[in-house]
Amino acid sequence: MYKLAFLIPHFNHSTKLAKMIEILKKYECDILIVDDASKDEHKDALNQLNVSVLYRQNNGGKGAAFKDGIRHLSRLGFTHVLQIDADMQHDLSVIDEFIKLSKLNPCSLVCGAPKYGNDAPKSRLYGRKITNFWVAINTLNMSIKDAMCGFRIYPVDLTLRVISACRADRMDFDIEILYLLLRSDANVIWMDVKVCYDSDGVSHFRAFRDNLAISKTHAKYFLSLPKYFFKKVMS
């Protein structure tokens, strides 16, 4: 049986959540917000939303929040989770299409392939191109459209099989969990999703810290590429 929940990692982004939750409730799916130790005023705002909230004691990053959330939803019997970033950068009107595609391919990971407008920072675009290149090389998979998009439907069982090996907890999480799933031969389906960058948007991306973590992730999988290549050849 296919049972989907929305999973929203959250850290000090409550200003847009009320609008997001209003949209998500139309789909009659359970909604879980995992609060990553936000400030009190943001926690107070979450209490007004009438959805399930899982509170983390310490800030660990969106990856840490996702891991807690998917394990919690697994215990409740959910088979799939749609991860949505709390900043509302992604076009939520595509949710119906994502869910339909996931139901037709329940064993596959459905990933957003971002379509950017003129408001997208050039540094982000270049950074994503570099990441997509390295993920393609390190997984021997040339079909990678975007390795950083936080809009995905994960099959719960498939994801839990690899998540204990995922050391990334912050902005490098979306990259490493994709590395692990691709190297475990998970099937990935890509679907376009528009992305917008509001002028008043709040970003938790820290250039030095997060770029360093992402670089370390690529290096780790590059160093293990010969072993992975040998395994692929022998299988």
Side-chain angles (χ1 to χ4, degrees), residues 2-61:
Y2 187 96
K3 188 177 181 182
L4 175 77
F6 297 119
L7 173 56
I8 308 169
H10 170 264
F11 177 62
N12 294 340
H13 255 128
S14 63
T15 52
K16 296 185 178 181
L17 269 181
K19 181 180 179 182
M20 175 186 283
I21 297 304
E22 183 181 353
I23 295 170
L24 296 184
K25 283 185 175 180
K26 297 176 183 177
Y27 295 93
E28 299 183 349
C29 294
D30 283 50
I31 301 169
L32 176 66
I33 298 173
V34 183
D35 181 72
D36 194 28
S38 294
K39 294 179 180 179
D40 288 343
E41 60 265 32
H42 294 280
K43 290 181 180 178
D44 291 340
L46 297 184
N47 292 331
Q48 310 301 317
L49 297 177
N50 194 28
V51 296
S52 298
V53 182
L54 194 64
Y55 292 97
R56 288 176 46 80
Q57 295 275 327
N58 301 300
N59 178 264

Side-chain angles (χ1 to χ4, degrees), residues 7 62-64 66-67 70-71 81 83 109-111 131 135 139 144 146-188 190 214 217-218 220-221:
L7 173 56
K62 67 177 291 187
F66 177 90
K67 292 172 189 177
I70 196 170
R71 287 173 177 138
V81 299
Q83 175 194 350
L109 173 68
V110 182
C111 286
T131 280
V135 173
T139 60
I144 305 300
D146 191 278
M148 298 182 72
C149 183
F151 195 89
R152 297 172 178 171
I153 296 183
Y154 290 89
V156 172
D157 286 348
L158 178 66
T159 307
L160 289 181
R161 286 187 208 131
V162 301
I163 208 165
S164 61
C166 183
R167 298 291 178 261
D169 280 334
R170 296 190 180 275
M171 296 300 181
D172 48 342
F173 167 76
D174 292 320
I175 300 169
E176 182 165 27
I177 195 66
L178 185 61
Y179 265 128
L180 291 166
L181 288 166
L182 287 170
R183 283 198 174 187
S184 65
D185 294 325
N187 185 52
V188 179
W190 303 93
I214 289 169
T217 298
H218 292 320
K220 178 171 73 172
Y221 285 90

Side-chain angles (χ1 to χ4, degrees), residues 2 4 79-82 95-111 152-155 189 191:
Y2 187 96
L4 175 77
T79 62
H80 292 75
V81 299
L82 172 48
I95 287 177
D96 263 330
E97 296 176 61
F98 267 72
I99 294 175
K100 288 177 183 177
L101 190 56
S102 178
K103 285 182 175 179
L104 289 171
N105 304 273
C107 296
S108 298
L109 173 68
V110 182
C111 286
R152 297 172 178 171
I153 296 183
Y154 290 89
I189 301 174
M191 179 169 282

Side-chain angles (χ1 to χ4, degrees), residues 187-233:
N187 185 52
V188 179
I189 301 174
W190 303 93
M191 179 169 282
D192 291 347
V193 56
K194 292 180 182 177
V195 179
C196 66
Y197 286 86
D198 293 336
S199 57
D200 60 346
V202 177
S203 174
H204 298 307
F205 188 88
R206 299 294 175 261
F208 179 78
R209 179 195 70 186
D210 293 319
N211 282 324
L212 179 61
I214 289 169
S215 297
K216 286 182 177 179
T217 298
H218 292 320
K220 178 171 73 172
Y221 285 90
F222 181 72
L223 291 173
S224 64
L225 182 57
K227 181 179 179 181
Y228 175 64
F229 177 76
F230 181 76
K231 178 182 176 183
K232 290 283 288 185
V233 169

